[in-house]
Amino acid sequence: MLTALVFTPTAVALLLFALPRRTAPAVFRAVWVTASAVELVLVIAVWAGYEPGGGMQFEERARWIPGAGVSYHVGVDGLSLPLLALTCLLFLTCAVYSLRENRRIREFAALFLFLETTCLGLFVALDLILFFVFFDLSIVAMYFVIAGWGHRQAARAALKFFLYTFIGSLALLLGFIGLYLAASPHTFDMVELTEQNPLAGRSAYGAVVLLAVVVGLAVKTPTVPFHTWLPLAHVEAPAAGSAILAGVLLKMGTYGFVRIAMPMLPEAWRRYALVLVVIGVLSVLHGALVALAQTDFKRMVAYTSVNHMGYVVLAVGAAAATADSSEQARSLAVTGAVTQMVSHGLLTGALFLLAGVLHERGRTYDMGAYSGLAAVAPVFAAMTGVAAFASLGLPGFSGFIAEFQIFTGSLGPQPLATALSVLGIVLTAGLFLRALRQVFTGPLRLPDAPGTPRAFADLRVHESLAVVPLLVLAVVLGVAPRFLLDVIEPASRSVLELLAR
Amino acid sequence: MTEMNENPLDLLPEVLLAASAVLGLLLGSWLPRARQWAVGLLAVVACVAGIVAASVAATEPATTAFGEAFAVDTVTGASRIVVLGGTLLVLGVSFRPLRGDPRESEFYVLVQLAALGALMMSGTQDLLLFAAAYLLASIPAYTLAGFRKDGPGTEAALKYYVVGALLGVLLLAGVTVLYAAGRATLYPMLGDALRDAPEPLVAVGAIGLLAGVLFKAGGVPAHFWVPDAVQGSSAPVAALLTTLPKIGALAALFRVGDAAFAGGPLPWAALIAVLAAASMTLGNLGAFFQQDVKRLLAYSTISQVGYLLMPVAVVDRSDLAQQALLYYLAAYTVTNLGAFAVVCALPRAHTVDDYRGLAKDRPLLAASLVICLLGLVGTPPTAVFLGKLQAFAAVFDGGYAWLAVLAAVNTVASLFYYLRWIVPTVSRGASPGRTEGDRTARVVAYAATAVSLGLGLAGGPVLDALAAR
């Protein structure tokens, strides 16, 4: 089941190349959308068959490279299932959004389908090397997306993205090897490593391994000070690429924290949790402040990602910071962290797609070039408004649920850090409101660059079809989050049990 | 000596190759020019038969031949298969450019002799036999480097020869000194004797030996010939120079380190580790701004030797060392030859800019190139990734964590120059210089890429077979 879920997109991508070159672009688009829709159906089927609180399910295991302690081992639990669903949804919306994409549609579709495989594979992987393989392949695929379909500085942005995240991935690999060698018998299997806790009582070794793993994941997340690749990559990537990059790829880092670092290195994690809290707070504040200084809409959204992922890092750090705070509070923090991953994926995905709309119409992201768009494009304005308010954490949206949980859970163990982080909400509220005022209110003004159409068209059908489901889901999660939380909570409790060893 | 185990069948792959080379030379002298391809065919048959013979021999317990001068064990078996497989690929890419060449059969014979030298180097357990194998591997390669008889080719051959002759003399001197110090030339006997020998003598001998081996491997500090020889010679020869001799040299170094030096008075592991670090770093630095693809690949092989030396350094400190080295050798050989096959398939494209727009013209060939180059970086799921993983794990296990970290940093650095080639390949625009290419080389490129990917995905049984017993 999971194997089919993971590898179907790549199979379809290969199929696209088997079609003759002359095939009409519409066929490629149709295949792409259909394949993504099938993936969504598959993941819904997995969700329907999932037993909340039943631990790891749908496990599949096969011998792969026994000589190196590597096996093909996949499965889902409450941590990975929401991210799987998010991945499938975002890829479908990107496919729908790209219905008007004309530039080498076959390669574009194939790359996205391949990217979908790597993302899904990463979230179901229960073997460190399998995890790493998908982690690296996602970088390769995203590199080609940025380099091939990005804006003017795409080549530079792609290279920077690749080099940074690849360095991170190698740090991660060294950490994995450290875990592998510590275990006896040597293995890369995550479940066995989690059970064995091989670095218990070896504080120096554990610290080094944790450092390697955390650096690797922090680059991908990204947290301060490893975030510098992010703005450029986001700004230069095509809209669908940015949506996936922010919506799914960034989650790989934070997912790694709760899946690998916390359960496998509990001692070291507890000892250095304060460092993570500090990094989290710095990311929150730095991301918000820098976003406040941006005039470029997409860049601003990119920096708010640093801010939002900072909350996640704060939460996973705070969950381990002190043992005397209540079990419930810490569980709330971890649950909030996972919810925030889902919520951020939905909202940033929507925001980046909307930024793509803005660029497609006006050929620039500069907020100063626009004014009064609400008059000519009311639907676009409304969507952007909803996405922005949701993103700044207004009650009734998923972001509120996530941030509320994170703050409530973290306040007990880390009052000062949490108080500082709450400032981040104020800052993001300010910057989103300012951006909305600038772009949508006032007298109508459009960028007057050569090649821009005079009229600013409102959202087209396929664009609405892509954005609306994301926002609807964000509202649904904000109003009735139980169905998601029921899945996440048992898993986050078990993470905390593992952490307490 | 009581009984000599002089069964030539133990050396069947080597004998086949030698016989085919001699027969090819005779055939070539009376075959008409248009039919000289038969010599190539003979060479292919010899290689295939050799691979079969080596595979059969590999299933049997380890043994030695000719006294103890030649070991037939896992290292030899794996090296045989890799060298012969690599020779097949080299023959494949040289088939078309040499078609109807007046010296076609000579070329095939020289390729086989160079491969035979590499085979002997990897299997020998005796310093004297090693010296002979070194010469056998070197002299045909000098000739091949200058085979085109043009300016760059002559320069390539001359540089290659001068450096090789100098370091060969050092090698012979080293062998002599080691003989003086240990009163033996067989590695196992030498290992015992060297533990009590005067340290300076052992050090001088080891350095002389290393000079020769590193020349063959193309590792720092004996790497100066690599860029010029590779750029100056024709693409098929360049493919050969950067792979086959390395396999022999690294297998030999592994063996001599294991039997004679490791655990002796010399800080052998540290010495090799430093050489590995220097090789990977300097090779990468040299590759950074290369425009010529052959030169870029030449520097890339220097850095790859660095990674290959990692398991050699920890030969006696980690059980993972042997499978790491042998697997990495196989992975590197097939991936590097895949990249060279793409170069051979496009004889008019010399610089990275000439590859602009290849993805649009020849998507499959471009995909092969991208996979091979990313494979050389060590991106999963290609074979080199698994090789690197093994090598990293081996040096970690052997207590050289710093080397693993340095190798990781170098891997990232190497990405930069491989990407400088990948980017134009996949970007838009077309290069005017590229015309119809070589079809056979294209097929070789696809095959090598497929093997590289397949070896990466199904590395399990291979690794098991290569594990130290």
Side-chain angles (χ1 to χ4, degrees), chain A residues 243-293:
Chain A
I244 295 299
L245 182 56
V248 182
L249 262 59
L250 300 193
K251 308 301 172 297
M252 293 179 174
T254 46
Y255 173 73
F257 284 134
V258 290
R259 167 65 71 215
I260 297 170
M262 289 171 83
M264 291 181 202
L265 297 156
E267 270 186 31
W269 183 272
R270 283 199 310 263
R271 175 167 310 152
Y272 298 102
L274 195 60
V275 178
L276 282 148
V277 170
V278 172
I279 290 176
V281 174
L282 283 179
S283 300
V284 166
L285 293 179
H286 183 267
L289 285 171
V290 180
L292 193 62

Side-chain angles (χ1 to χ4, degrees), chain A residues 436-452:
Chain A
L436 290 177
R437 182 185 53 102
Q438 167 109 56
V439 176
F440 293 110
T441 62
L444 178 65
R445 195 172 73 240
L446 291 171
D448 197 16
T452 49

Side-chain angles (χ1 to χ4, degrees), chain A residues 17 21 63-68 70 103-104 129 132-134 136-137 140 143-144 147-150 155 159 162-163 166-167 170-171 173-175 177-178 180-181 186 188 205, chain B residues 320 323 359-361 363 370 374 377-381 385-386 389-390 392-393 396-397 404-405 408-409 411-412 415-416 419 422-423 426 428 456-461 463-464:
Chain A
F17 280 105
R21 196 181 277 255
R63 289 163 58 82
W64 184 20
I65 312 172
V70 182
R103 294 175 294 164
R104 289 176 293 158
I129 291 304
F132 182 80
V133 166
F134 287 122
D136 247 20
L137 286 179
V140 173
Y143 169 82
F144 286 115
W149 285 267
L159 184 66
F162 203 131
L163 286 178
F166 204 81
I167 292 178
L170 283 167
L173 182 62
L174 291 179
I177 293 175
Y180 165 77
L181 291 171
H186 294 343
F188 281 111
Y205 192 168
Chain B
L320 298 168
Q323 60 180 27
K360 199 160 168 34
D361 299 352
V370 169
L374 285 178
V377 177
T379 310
F385 163 70
L386 203 53
L389 182 68
Q390 292 286 310
F392 283 12
F396 245 116
D397 203 24
V405 174
V409 172
T411 301
V412 175
L415 196 63
F416 178 74
L419 278 180
I422 292 176
V423 171
V426 297
R428 280 148 285 186
L457 287 171
L463 276 175
D464 282 347

Side-chain angles (χ1 to χ4, degrees), chain B residues 119-215:
Chain B
L119 281 185
M120 295 306 292
M121 276 204 288
S122 62
T124 179
Q125 284 208 89
D126 186 297
L127 285 179
L128 290 178
L129 189 55
F130 177 74
Y134 170 89
L135 292 176
L136 181 57
S138 301
I139 293 167
Y142 302 145
T143 325
L144 283 173
F147 198 76
R148 282 198 306 198
K149 286 191 182 168
D150 55 358
T154 312
E155 187 193 337
L158 194 67
K159 268 206 175 131
Y160 191 26
Y161 172 70
V162 169
V163 177
L166 174 69
L167 295 175
V169 169
L170 282 183
L171 169 78
L172 291 175
V175 168
T176 316
V177 172
L178 284 175
Y179 181 53
R183 292 187 187 78
T185 54
L186 274 180
Y187 299 170
M189 292 165 74
L190 206 55
D192 294 334
L194 289 185
R195 273 181 249 295
D196 310 322
E199 204 174 320
L201 215 53
V202 181
V204 169
I207 286 167
L209 192 68
L210 267 178
V213 175
L214 286 174
F215 163 73

